[in-house]
Amino acid sequence: MKGRGHGAKLKELNAFAAQGAVAPAWELFQLLKAAASPGQLPPLGGAGESENELRLERRFVWNTMLKAYANAGDEVNARVFYKSMLSAQVVPNAKTYGKLMEAAAKRGETPTARAWMTQMERDNIKPGILHYSQLMASAAHAANLAEAEMLDEEVRSLGLVPTETYYNSLLNACAKAGDLASCRRWYQEMLLRGFQPTSLTYSTLISAGRWTGDALSGLAWARQWPRTSLEAYHAFMDLAAVHQDLHLAVRSFHELTQVFMPSVTTYNTLLLAFARGGDLRAAQQWLRRMVALTEEPNEVTYRILIQCCAQAGDLLSAAGYLEEMEAQHLTVDVTTRNILANAAAEAGDAAFAKEWLQSLRSTTTTPDAFSFNAVLKAQLAAGDLPGAEEHFHKFFAAAGRTVQPDLTTFGMLINAYAEVKDHRQALSWLRAMPRCRLSPTVVQYTQVLKSFTEEEKSTGERLFREMVEDAQLPTQVTLKVLRRLVGPLRTRRLLEDLDIDESSLEPLVTADAQKRRWAESALRRQEAQVRKRVSHLQVALRLTRIWGHDVVRLEKAHPGNPSQGANLLLMGIKDQNMVGKVYMCGQALSDEGLVSSLNAALTATNDSVALSRDEYDKRPGSDWIERRGVGGREGS
């Protein structure tokens, strides 16, 4: 039954959804879903409310949760949620498919967004201009101007009337493609259609100037932006800051003060201009002026100044501003504190970095992987490799599982040993990565290859083969290192032997490509682990080794005595929320020894496996007296 707070919960769910905050939205959705289940909702407008109105309310709740996935750009979980929606017999509508398309659009996945539109048409729902706007937004995200213009032709052929959102997406596609001429053309058409440019329109046009490096173009668009709001002035000042035109930023500030009262955001924008220009003294002067005019600095103000001090190498002033923040009871998050650590790392000041980490532990702020990596970077820059290793082991032993090393951590350690040609230590750190649930990428393999000398080229060649077998394709940088180690002729033969086309290899691995490659190889590895660890046969063999008799006798013999083989069922389950599950159910589960032994066998090779009772999937009936599941996040 709905309580008095039902409407408030709906508003709160919608607020979380608008922010793309999936986790809190999901908790509220679970409560509202139960309230909106058939037979649970009381009449909203009296005893005569129709069943159709109840269905509409259910769909509204589901669509709002889908909105959270859309704003988070999480098309994968949006798809899973859509399937759950169908299973719950909630009929999708145009808004449902609009959100699914939006989730794909925010990732630039135009074919996926188009596929959702096709499914929508199969359900006899006619797409509208809003759905084509999502396709346009997807093309813009992918900087695919050709796709955007094809979509525009399709929209015109269907007789649909473009909206302001549609034109802004089209302009965004032109801007990201760096086509200033098309930006101007569509902007003019937008005006001819009677649409007034918004702040989003102008910021998109200004961005086009930034992305093409055409400073004059960006400034020209900014000057057309009517100075009717603080936002317009701030955007103009920010643009001046990007182009490091400090005189223009200051002049814009003075113009603003003739019309509006400057806000803390105004001062922050000006301070950012000086910070980007590397003028620490001017930034500090404007801070004093800001305080004199009774405008209190906020967290953003201090973060800009701390960053400016760090860039100038003035660690003491940066630490002083951090203390001021704490004295004024402003929120000092780990990102702000990490600015200091990174500055110490860049300066190679290991002593300051270690003192900083020690002081961080005395606060309520929890260090993260970046905090650790910054201190590690400082120690390695100072040439203290033993100290860096000691820091690694001490930090993560103290942090437990709350903070784990990442690819950057291992990359720095491997590269440090590669630079001194210590291939044994470099290789040992590569081998340590899987213990931290990390899969080496081509970057780490290449770093280790760099550590080998000519006398160790056979070991390096074996490592190169291992890398390829681990689904990590080399880059041109990898081949350059390999040629230096084994020679051009041997490198060519290796590529032929491994069926690698050198012309198809990338010069280097960008961050996105590295993540994609790692994700693909990790997925293949996890699938192999699931096949190995969750198959019925593997579980049966483990039970055979534990109890000394086969599973058939365990199921059928002595049904009255669990320890000698009461009814038992084992299932390998594919679950959308984890890589794999093993379920046990039946009368034999009253024997705690059986459960403990199976748990020990499954956790022996994977410490991510966890023993729990799954109440959500619990099934009724006498055959399901008790259920226990052994599930893991990574290959249980």
Side-chain angles (χ1 to χ4, degrees):
M1 300 264 311
K2 287 194 301 184
R4 291 181 180 178
H6 181 77
K9 286 187 175 68
L10 279 174
K11 287 183 179 179
E12 193 175 359
L13 173 62
N14 190 53
F16 284 132
Q19 299 167 17
V22 173
W26 179 259
E27 293 180 8
L28 276 171
F29 168 74
Q30 294 291 348
L31 295 173
L32 291 165
K33 182 182 73 169
S37 296
Q40 295 295 320
L41 279 173
L44 292 173
E49 185 181 39
S50 68
E51 185 179 342
N52 183 55
E53 289 174 312
L54 297 177
R55 283 198 297 267
L56 291 176
E57 170 121 0
R58 288 188 70 209
R59 184 164 61 195
F60 176 80
V61 171
W62 283 76
N63 278 350
T64 306
M65 183 62 219
L66 194 57
K67 178 180 177 181
Y69 288 116
N71 284 321
D74 189 350
E75 194 276 334
V76 173
N77 281 314
R79 182 182 296 272
V80 172
F81 186 79
Y82 168 77
K83 292 179 180 178
S84 300
M85 190 174 182
L86 296 181
S87 298
Q89 298 182 339
V90 178
V91 181
N93 62 359
K95 287 187 178 179
T96 307
Y97 287 109
K99 294 305 173 187
L100 289 164
M101 292 176 68
E102 183 180 351
K106 289 197 173 176
R107 299 181 63 86
E109 297 174 355
T110 308
T112 305
R114 173 70 77 171
W116 283 118
M117 181 182 279
T118 302
Q119 180 60 48
M120 175 183 179
E121 291 171 327
R122 288 198 193 105
D123 288 349
N124 297 318
I125 302 173
K126 187 177 180 180
I129 189 61
L130 292 178
H131 299 96
Y132 278 95
S133 294
Q134 293 298 345
L135 288 179
M136 189 66 75
S138 179
H141 187 91
N144 191 339
L145 181 55
E147 177 72 24
E149 291 184 336
M150 287 175 60
L151 282 168
D152 183 66
E153 289 179 8
E154 186 176 345
V155 165
R156 292 172 187 277
S157 67
L158 292 171
L160 297 174
V161 179
T163 62
E164 176 187 293
T165 303
Y166 175 88
Y167 275 114
N168 282 334
S169 295
L170 185 52
L171 286 171
N172 195 24
C174 299
K176 288 188 174 180
D179 191 334
L180 293 176
S182 294
C183 278
R184 295 187 186 96
R185 176 164 57 88
W186 290 114
Y187 174 71
Q188 291 300 324
E189 180 174 317
M190 181 180 182
L191 295 179
L192 290 172
R193 290 255 184 177
F195 292 105
Q196 290 301 315
T198 63
S199 58
L200 178 59
T201 309
Y202 282 113
S203 61
T204 301
L205 293 168
I206 291 169
S207 297
R210 288 185 191 172
W211 291 327
T212 57
D214 188 341
L216 293 177
S217 173
L219 289 170
W221 286 117
R223 289 191 175 97
Q224 288 187 35
W225 192 344
R227 305 294 196 273
T228 56
S229 65
L230 271 174
E231 183 186 20
Y233 277 103
H234 292 164
F236 195 75
M237 291 168 61
D238 184 62
L239 184 66
V242 167
H243 296 298
Q244 297 184 12
D245 190 337
L246 301 183
H247 293 294
L248 180 60
V250 173
R251 190 167 73 246
S252 300
F253 173 84
H254 289 306
E255 288 178 9
L256 179 151
T257 58
Q258 302 301 314
V259 185
F260 297 102
M261 180 68 70
S263 67
V264 65
T265 303
T266 308
Y267 283 102
N268 287 346
T269 306
L270 189 59
L271 288 173
L272 186 60
F274 289 109
R276 284 172 171 165
D279 194 339
L280 175 59
R281 181 177 295 180
Q284 291 172 327
Q285 288 174 349
W286 276 96
L287 174 68
R288 289 192 288 270
R289 180 173 176 176
M290 174 183 177
V291 174
L293 293 172
T294 69
E295 190 66 57
E296 291 295 329
N298 62 10
E299 288 88 349
V300 176
T301 312
Y302 281 108
R303 194 175 298 123
I304 292 169
L305 287 163
I306 292 170
Q307 184 68 59
C308 192
C309 292
Q311 289 171 352
D314 189 349
L315 299 182
L316 292 178
S317 293
Y321 285 124
L322 197 66
E323 290 176 1
E324 280 188 32
M325 287 185 75
E326 292 172 332
Q328 295 181 31
H329 305 291
L330 296 173
T331 302
V332 186
D333 58 13
V334 70
T335 304
T336 305
R337 295 184 186 277
N338 282 344
I339 296 172
L340 271 177
N342 190 58
E346 292 294 334
D349 192 339
F352 183 93
K354 285 194 282 189
E355 288 177 11
W356 167 86
L357 184 61
Q358 192 63 35
S359 65
L360 181 60
R361 286 173 174 152
S362 65
T363 69
T364 57
T365 308
T366 304
D368 60 9
F370 188 95
S371 312
F372 164 76
N373 287 339
V375 178
L376 186 69
K377 182 179 178 181
Q379 289 180 301
L380 293 174
D384 186 7
L385 272 67
E389 287 204 12
E390 182 183 1
H391 172 61
F392 177 94
H393 295 299
K394 281 185 177 180
F395 181 87
F396 288 115
R401 292 196 175 188
T402 57
V403 181
Q404 290 293 312
D406 55 18
L407 291 173
T408 302
T409 310
F410 284 97
M412 287 193 294
L413 287 163
I414 292 170
N415 192 60
Y417 283 106
E419 291 292 334
V420 297
K421 297 298 180 183
D422 188 343
H423 81 273
R424 289 185 177 83
Q425 282 296 95
L427 193 57
S428 70
W429 282 107
L430 184 82
R431 301 299 185 213
M433 291 180 72
R435 292 200 294 273
C436 296
R437 300 197 185 101
L438 290 171
S439 299
T441 71
V442 64
V443 174
Q444 286 78 49
Y445 276 111
T446 302
Q447 288 171 331
V448 177
L449 284 172
K450 193 171 65 173
S451 71
F452 291 104
T453 62
E454 189 176 351
E455 292 75 21
E456 299 145 353
K457 60 183 178 183
S458 59
T459 308
E461 184 177 319
R462 286 196 297 272
L463 184 70
F464 180 79
R465 289 180 177 274
E466 176 191 318
M467 179 189 77
V468 176
E469 290 170 1
D470 196 33
Q472 295 293 335
L473 282 176
T475 64
Q476 295 291 350
V477 175
T478 313
L479 296 187
K480 184 178 179 180
V481 173
L482 188 64
R483 286 192 185 95
R484 193 177 299 151
L485 179 63
V486 303
L489 182 61
R490 185 57 188 158
T491 298
R492 186 166 63 251
R493 288 178 178 172
L494 273 171
L495 294 178
E496 291 172 356
D497 186 34
L498 296 169
D499 194 25
I500 296 174
D501 179 9
E502 183 178 352
S503 64
S504 66
L505 300 179
E506 301 171 18
L508 49 82
V509 179
T510 62
D512 288 342
Q514 181 175 326
K515 289 178 183 177
R516 184 180 69 252
R517 286 182 171 199
W518 177 84
E520 290 171 352
S521 62
L523 181 60
R524 286 191 289 272
R525 204 165 9 257
Q526 287 176 358
E527 288 173 348
Q529 289 173 344
V530 171
R531 287 192 295 271
K532 178 180 177 182
R533 296 177 182 170
V534 188
S535 67
H536 300 284
L537 178 60
Q538 286 288 330
V539 177
L541 288 175
R542 281 176 177 160
L543 281 177
T544 300
R545 290 196 295 271
I546 295 166
W547 292 90
H549 49 64
D550 58 54
V551 177
V552 175
R553 283 172 49 201
L554 185 65
E555 290 178 346
K556 294 184 177 179
H558 310 289
N561 189 336
S563 66
Q564 305 214 6
N567 294 329
L568 175 69
L569 177 62
L570 299 171
M571 296 189 297
I573 303 294
K574 181 180 179 182
D575 189 289
Q576 67 188 36
N577 295 318
M578 57 183 68
V579 176
K581 282 185 181 179
V582 174
Y583 271 112
M584 296 176 62
C585 51
Q587 294 172 333
L589 288 221
S590 59
D591 185 348
E592 294 293 336
L594 173 63
V595 178
S596 299
S597 298
L598 179 60
N599 185 52
L602 291 178
T603 55
T605 56
N606 189 347
D607 58 4
S608 69
V609 171
L611 178 66
S612 64
R613 185 194 304 268
D614 195 335
E615 294 294 335
Y616 182 80
D617 286 333
K618 187 172 181 179
R619 301 184 184 181
S622 59
D623 292 334
W624 299 76
I625 296 172
E626 187 174 13
R627 293 168 58 83
R628 295 175 188 263
V630 182
R633 292 183 301 277
E634 298 180 1
S636 59

